[in-house]
Amino acid sequence: MKRRLLLVDGYNVLNAWKGMLSGRTLSDARDVLVERLHDYAGASGQKVIVVFDAWQSDRQQRTVEDNGSITVVYTQRGETADHYIERVCDSLSEEARAGRLRLRVATSDGVEQTIVMGRGAERVSARELLYELEREKGALGARGGAQARGKSTVMDRLPENVRQSLERMRRGERTEESKQ
């Protein structure tokens, strides 16, 4: 099965997200985006790297926070998110061209889209990504609602003998196998 990686230009997506920056601090908006991307990564089964650039800040070194299915990168002074994303695409271009990796880049910067496509990545506009996030959030809500109503739990899907064994273990009863 082909690995999947989504690279996200964080500020580019935040700027395309209508209403996200009004009434919120930039830090809060980043946190909301990272949370949504984390949910999206888990639900879609792909690795997500979101990059926030700090090229005009005083940040002396790059910060990378790896949280399982999502990695959050804050670039260092003088480094743009675009440059970071391009370097990642360069390092993975052979794998993407060979068909072992589906590499997508979410940005609405036209020049950046052209550059990453030349390196084997697929382009996704910021609005397309926001649509995907919204669609996945709706799907997660629908699945969660069904589970909350007791319609589909892991326990419901287990064979009866396994459910009974688990229930005995929960109560602390010894099973026939453990007595031997």
Side-chain angles (χ1 to χ4, degrees), residues 163-177:
R163 281 191 296 205
Q164 289 173 357
S165 293
L166 288 172
E167 180 60 25
R168 283 192 301 273
M169 287 177 8
R170 186 185 69 77
R171 286 185 272 168
E173 297 175 8
R174 293 181 60 170
T175 62
E176 288 301 315
E177 296 84 26

Side-chain angles (χ1 to χ4, degrees), residues 69-133:
S69 58
I70 186 169
T71 299
V72 181
V73 177
Y74 296 92
T75 65
Q76 62 193 12
R77 178 174 175 75
E79 180 183 35
T80 66
D82 290 348
H83 290 136
Y84 182 87
I85 289 168
E86 289 166 19
R87 277 196 306 279
V88 172
C89 287
D90 278 343
S91 69
L92 298 172
S93 65
E94 188 175 310
E95 204 173 342
R97 286 192 178 106
R100 294 186 303 270
L101 171 70
R102 181 175 183 203
L103 180 60
R104 299 187 319 145
V105 175
T107 181
S108 288
D109 180 328
V111 172
E112 183 66 4
Q113 288 178 346
T114 302
I115 291 170
V116 298
M117 283 176 22
R119 294 176 175 152
E122 299 172 30
R123 66 175 169 80
V124 178
S125 74
R127 289 186 195 272
E128 287 173 306
L129 176 63
L130 291 169
Y131 174 75
E132 286 181 25
L133 292 176

Side-chain angles (χ1 to χ4, degrees), residues 8-151:
V8 178
D9 182 334
Y11 289 131
N12 191 277
V13 172
L14 284 177
N15 285 321
W17 197 341
K18 293 200 184 307
M20 175 49 74
L21 296 175
S22 61
R24 283 191 178 92
T25 65
L26 189 55
S27 176
D28 288 344
R30 280 192 308 256
D31 290 346
V32 169
L33 177 60
V34 167
E35 183 179 317
R36 293 288 294 278
L37 287 169
H38 191 273
D39 291 345
Y40 177 73
S44 66
Q46 65 188 310
K47 175 76 175 168
V48 174
I49 300 174
V50 59
V51 184
F52 296 103
D53 57 26
W55 72 281
Q56 291 182 329
S57 76
D58 292 331
R59 184 183 296 270
Q60 294 301 310
Q61 56 187 345
R62 181 183 309 128
T63 305
V64 178
E65 301 169 6
D66 192 2
N67 298 315
S69 58
I70 186 169
T71 299
V72 181
V73 177
Y74 296 92
T75 65
Q76 62 193 12
R77 178 174 175 75
E79 180 183 35
T80 66
D82 290 348
H83 290 136
Y84 182 87
I85 289 168
E86 289 166 19
R87 277 196 306 279
V88 172
C89 287
D90 278 343
S91 69
L92 298 172
S93 65
E94 188 175 310
E95 204 173 342
R97 286 192 178 106
R100 294 186 303 270
L101 171 70
R102 181 175 183 203
L103 180 60
R104 299 187 319 145
V105 175
T107 181
S108 288
D109 180 328
V111 172
E112 183 66 4
Q113 288 178 346
T114 302
I115 291 170
V116 298
M117 283 176 22
R119 294 176 175 152
E122 299 172 30
R123 66 175 169 80
V124 178
S125 74
R127 289 186 195 272
E128 287 173 306
L129 176 63
L130 291 169
Y131 174 75
E132 286 181 25
L133 292 176
E134 198 57 38
R135 191 177 65 220
E136 192 61 44
K137 180 182 175 189
L140 282 172
R143 288 191 297 261
Q147 289 173 351
R149 292 186 299 274
K151 302 230 179 197

